[in-house]
Amino acid sequence: MCGVRFMAETVKMLSPEKRVFLSNKDAGCPMADQLDVELLQSLKEHNPDHTVVAYINTTAELKTLCDVCVTSSSAVKIIKNIENDKILFVPDCNLGAWVEKQVPEKTFKFTHGGCPTHLRMSKRNVAKAKREHPDALLLVHPECLAEVSNEADYIGSTTGIMNFAKQSDHKEFIIGTENSVLQHLQYECPDKKFYPLSKDCVCHNMKLTTLNDVYQCVKNLAGEEITLDEEIRVKALNSINEMIRLGGN
Ligand code: SF4
């Protein structure tokens, strides 16, 4: 795995019989570590009638306390498919608030978490980018603050943003998500122009892994093999299996 730790843990949950390696052992997601198990346990005790929905960017340990995981592209569909109308959404309150708007028939409670990379973007960035690129559409990720999302022409997951830009007749876009997406878009759509909403929207954790790390890991000289306590793996896997079940057709 050349991403961050929670991704490697999820792979291990789903494939316990395989050896899974994180090529740079320091590559973590700050959001995944924001909420600890004791706090979520206490929130569950205070809200026993709520279904706990976790953004997939959470640790394996935290997933053991969650009923279902979601990704940014599946969250709305999955939450609509949950029978219970009371949702405790963790840890990203911005993603949660965006889902809430699209599922008004349910009531939500949130914790105050979020992606530090996306939280760097503000409405001042929006005003500046629109001033500099008046013909561009603004496409943002739902991890952004509401003050940013409210100004957007499109809000969606990374895949959603990429598909929107590729299929649109528009020629210019301001991109409000991790800036490596711009490089992918520019490569795939050389006839269009892409501008970062903020030059600071760079996730240093996702950029930590180098080609040399991968080489060293493959040679068994570095990296970390992911191991999960079997009880934790099985309990955490429930939330992933629920995500797959509720996200199906
Ligand atoms: S951009 Fe970085 S900090 Fe934000 S959710 Fe992704 S991995 Fe975590």
Side-chain angles (χ1 to χ4, degrees):
M1 172 57 71
C2 303
V4 294
R5 182 169 292 272
F6 78 83
M7 299 173 181
E9 286 182 346
T10 307
V11 172
K12 184 66 182 174
M13 274 173 219
L14 287 160
S15 308
E17 74 287 3
K18 303 206 174 169
R19 298 183 72 192
V20 178
F21 295 85
L22 183 61
S23 47
N24 184 321
K25 64 181 177 52
D26 296 323
C29 166
M31 176 157 57
D33 296 323
Q34 278 170 351
L35 186 58
D36 61 40
V37 169
E38 290 73 26
L39 179 56
L40 183 55
Q41 187 67 60
S42 128
L43 285 169
K44 275 171 66 106
E45 281 161 19
H46 285 93
N47 299 280
D49 53 348
H50 282 59
T51 295
V52 181
V53 177
Y55 194 17
I56 197 156
N57 300 37
T58 39
T59 61
E61 228 188 338
L62 204 80
K63 284 185 177 81
T64 63
L65 297 176
C66 300
D67 297 305
V68 55
C69 281
V70 295
T71 63
S72 52
S73 59
S74 65
V76 171
K77 182 179 185 186
I78 288 173
I79 290 174
K80 280 185 175 172
N81 283 341
I82 292 172
E83 251 179 58
N84 191 358
D85 62 0
K86 294 188 179 71
I87 306 294
L88 173 60
F89 191 97
V90 300
D92 186 341
C93 59
N94 295 300
L95 174 67
W98 173 72
V99 175
E100 182 182 32
K101 273 191 190 164
Q102 294 167 82
V103 193
E105 65 275 21
K106 298 195 188 247
T107 56
F108 287 73
K109 285 189 176 176
F110 304 112
T111 51
H112 286 287
C115 164
T117 305
H118 285 81
L119 293 180
R120 283 186 207 126
M121 293 179 286
S122 68
K123 62 181 177 187
R124 287 179 64 185
N125 295 119
V126 174
K128 183 167 181 287
K130 286 193 169 184
R131 213 168 39 243
E132 290 172 358
H133 310 290
D135 296 329
L137 294 181
L138 174 62
L139 319 183
V140 308
H141 194 280
E143 286 174 19
C144 290
L145 289 166
E147 68 179 42
V148 172
S149 301
N150 289 343
E151 303 283 329
D153 297 293
Y154 173 81
I155 308 169
S157 64
T158 305
T159 309
I161 288 175
M162 292 194 65
N163 288 341
F164 184 96
K166 281 192 254 180
Q167 287 157 16
S168 170
D169 292 333
H170 245 78
K171 293 288 177 201
E172 292 184 53
F173 303 90
I174 302 161
I175 303 295
T177 191
E178 212 285 327
N179 282 345
S180 56
V181 172
L182 262 90
Q183 291 152 13
H184 290 288
L185 278 169
Q186 198 62 77
Y187 180 76
E188 293 202 34
C189 311
D191 58 323
K192 298 183 178 180
K193 286 187 178 161
F194 299 97
Y195 313 106
L197 178 54
S198 161
K199 291 197 170 100
D200 291 334
C201 192
V202 175
C203 176
H204 300 288
N205 300 277
M206 287 179 68
K207 294 229 179 324
L208 208 58
T209 306
T210 63
L211 195 55
N212 189 45
D213 290 331
V214 180
Y215 176 78
Q216 300 284 338
C217 188
V218 169
K219 289 279 179 191
N220 247 338
L221 299 171
E224 180 184 322
E225 179 162 6
I226 300 293
T227 55
L228 292 174
D229 174 89
E230 185 57 10
E231 198 184 331
I232 289 182
R233 186 191 73 78
V234 170
K235 275 193 191 164
L237 183 62
N238 280 336
S239 63
I240 300 291
N241 284 337
E242 276 299 275
M243 174 176 84
I244 294 166
R245 185 180 72 82
L246 292 166
N249 291 321

